[in-house]
Amino acid sequence: MTAPSPLAAGADPRGLSPVVGLSPARATWLIAQREVSTRMRQRSYLITTALLVVAVVAGILVAHATAGGGSTVAVGATDQTTATAVEQALDAAGLDATVTTVTDRAAGERQVRDGDLDALIVPADGGSLTTVVDRELNARLAPVLDGLARQQALTAQITALGGDPTTVAAAVGQAGVQVDALDPPVERDLTQVIAGYLVGIVMFMALMMCSQLVAQGVVEEKTSRVVELLLATVRPSHLMAGKVAGIGLVGLIQVAVTVGAAAIASSATGLLDTSGLRVGPTLVWALVWFLVGFVTYAFVLAALAALVSRQEEVSSVITPVTMLMLLPYIYGISVLPWDPANALARTLSFIPLLSPFLMPMRLALGTAPLWEPFVALALALAVVPLLIWLSGRIYANAVLRTGARVRLKDALRA
């Protein structure tokens, strides 16, 4: 291990005493401004942000398509009675369809050829129906129209026998099998499931990328010896805090842009109209947990990165922490969307270092009671001061040591 490199003339050899009269807040803010102006101009940051936005919007569009949005079926009928019967049958089947009455069959066929209608319904003898299509009948319409044709035929037979079709239809409609499930499945809201996935993925990617930016920035300054010039004017704690604050602000902007795009896309597609997802609280909590998670991990990675002097060594020194970030993320997206009430996931979501990944997913899925995120947040914040103190000690004692990797125990006791 080599000794610390000399600083600029007039600076404290340990970099602990500022040369100029900068207040702690001013020094931290200057470093943060430097990080923001540098990072936000990087092409990689802009590309990553664009990719996150595209991925989230694409996921929302897929959810919208899966939920059946934007797939209205247009059906025509040659008389009002048939149009009413078809509309009632489609509504009962839950299909999003528009039913119109055309003047005659020829006019309806022209609309079918032009693509204005998906199908034209023409009543035939005996209560049956003739369906006119351009190439083939829509797969969602076929069973509904088959059922309607059978009902029409039954009505015609009842009338021919002198019965009352209305009475028979009411009796048939009331008949059915009552099911008593001993362990009924919980109805899943597709929008909430997809929101859980998106929140988990965005949180992991944002926290991982921004935290690694801090680690890479520390080693970059150490390798280029810029850190020696910076520590001639600011304390190590101010330098580390400013770096974390600046990159944290950049990451927060990235997350805010992503969740904003998600909110706009969800609103534009009407995906939230029938969903139980609480968009506002979900987005606010996502931003809060990003800040908590970033502060938690960024200081730790900054301290560990200060132990090495080359970019090639960064991954090896921060691997234990990145694995700690990866495990709750993998467990969350593998288990929570399919089992939101999972007891182990609920327990892990209260543990600091794990809660920034699991609690936002549980909130998006709507399975976390109101008190749980506040308790988890209090526990996470209680650990932050200790992590900052330990990280600051390691960083201050290792950042000026170049050459061989500094051992962790040496940095703690130096």
Side-chain angles (χ1 to χ4, degrees):
M1 182 184 307
T2 61
S5 301
L7 299 176
D12 187 307
R14 298 174 301 167
L16 299 178
S17 301
V19 175
V20 296
L22 289 177
S23 65
R26 177 64 176 167
T28 301
W29 176 240
L30 287 175
I31 299 298
Q33 282 183 309
R34 171 177 172 270
E35 292 294 334
V36 171
S37 62
T38 301
R39 302 296 175 182
M40 293 195 69
R41 289 198 300 264
Q42 292 180 340
R43 180 176 299 181
S44 59
Y45 171 78
L46 299 176
I47 293 175
T48 302
T49 303
L51 290 176
L52 280 175
V53 171
V54 170
V56 169
V57 173
I60 291 172
L61 294 179
V62 169
H64 176 58
T66 304
S71 55
T72 302
V73 179
V75 180
T78 55
D79 65 84
Q80 185 58 47
T81 302
T82 304
T84 301
V86 171
E87 186 173 11
Q88 291 174 348
L90 293 174
D91 288 342
L95 293 181
D96 186 9
T98 58
V99 182
T100 58
T101 304
V102 299
T103 56
D104 53 40
R105 176 166 178 165
E109 288 180 354
R110 285 194 298 272
Q111 294 186 48
V112 171
R113 289 193 186 96
D114 295 339
D116 297 329
L117 291 177
D118 295 302
L120 173 67
I121 312 301
V122 181
D125 295 336
S128 63
L129 300 174
T130 299
T131 304
V132 180
V133 297
D134 185 25
R135 292 184 177 274
E136 59 182 1
L137 182 60
N138 187 298
R140 295 182 297 160
L141 282 177
V144 178
L145 295 179
D146 284 342
L148 177 60
R150 295 189 185 97
Q151 181 63 42
Q152 297 277 50
L154 178 61
T155 299
Q157 292 297 320
I158 292 172
T159 302
L161 294 173
D164 183 2
T166 303
T167 304
V168 174
V172 172
Q174 292 175 358
V177 177
Q178 180 178 349
V179 178
D180 292 333
L182 299 178
D183 188 14
V186 179
E187 293 187 5
R188 307 302 311 281
D189 187 333
L190 178 62
T191 304
Q192 288 183 310
V193 172
I194 294 179
Y197 268 118
L198 293 178
V199 168
I201 293 171
V202 171
M203 288 294 292
F204 172 75
M205 292 185 65
L207 287 175
M208 180 69 77
M209 290 187 298
C210 293
S211 298
Q212 288 185 341
L213 276 179
V214 174
Q216 293 169 0
V218 169
V219 178
E220 180 183 329
E221 291 176 349
K222 188 173 180 179
T223 303
S224 63
R225 308 178 77 91
V226 171
V227 67
E228 300 176 4
L229 300 177
L230 294 173
L231 291 180
T233 56
V234 298
R235 296 177 185 271
S237 58
H238 302 162
L239 178 58
M240 184 174 66
K243 180 174 291 292
V244 170
I247 296 180
L249 181 58
V250 171
L252 182 62
I253 293 172
Q254 189 176 60
V255 173
V257 170
T258 303
V259 298
I264 293 173
S266 301
S267 176
T269 57
L271 188 63
L272 303 174
D273 295 343
T274 59
S275 172
L277 177 65
R278 298 178 299 169
V279 181
T282 299
L283 297 183
V284 171
W285 275 115
L287 295 176
V288 169
W289 281 110
F290 168 78
L291 288 175
V292 174
F294 175 75
V295 170
T296 300
Y297 285 102
F299 278 102
V300 174
L301 291 185
L304 294 177
L307 299 175
V308 298
S309 302
R310 296 185 303 167
Q311 290 289 353
E312 295 82 0
E313 299 175 306
V314 175
S315 59
S316 63
V317 78
I318 67 174
T319 293
V321 179
T322 55
M323 288 298 297
L324 184 61
M325 300 171 72
L326 186 63
L327 292 177
Y329 163 71
I330 293 178
Y331 182 77
I333 64 171
S334 301
V335 174
L336 282 176
W338 314 112
D339 185 14
N342 184 271
L344 178 58
R346 181 174 182 267
T347 302
L348 295 177
S349 65
F350 286 96
I351 300 177
L353 301 178
L354 305 184
S355 52
F357 299 99
L358 295 174
M359 188 57 75
M361 293 186 65
R362 295 186 61 227
L363 288 167
L365 292 167
T367 58
L370 182 61
W371 62 271
E372 289 191 357
F374 288 99
V375 172
L377 182 62
L379 293 174
L381 292 177
V383 176
V384 168
L386 175 61
L387 292 176
I388 292 177
W389 178 78
L390 286 174
S391 301
R393 183 177 180 84
I394 296 170
Y395 180 88
N397 292 330
V399 72
L400 288 176
R401 297 174 180 264
T402 58
R405 175 174 171 175
V406 181
R407 292 187 301 177
L408 183 61
K409 63 179 182 180
D410 292 337
L412 284 171
R413 70 185 180 186

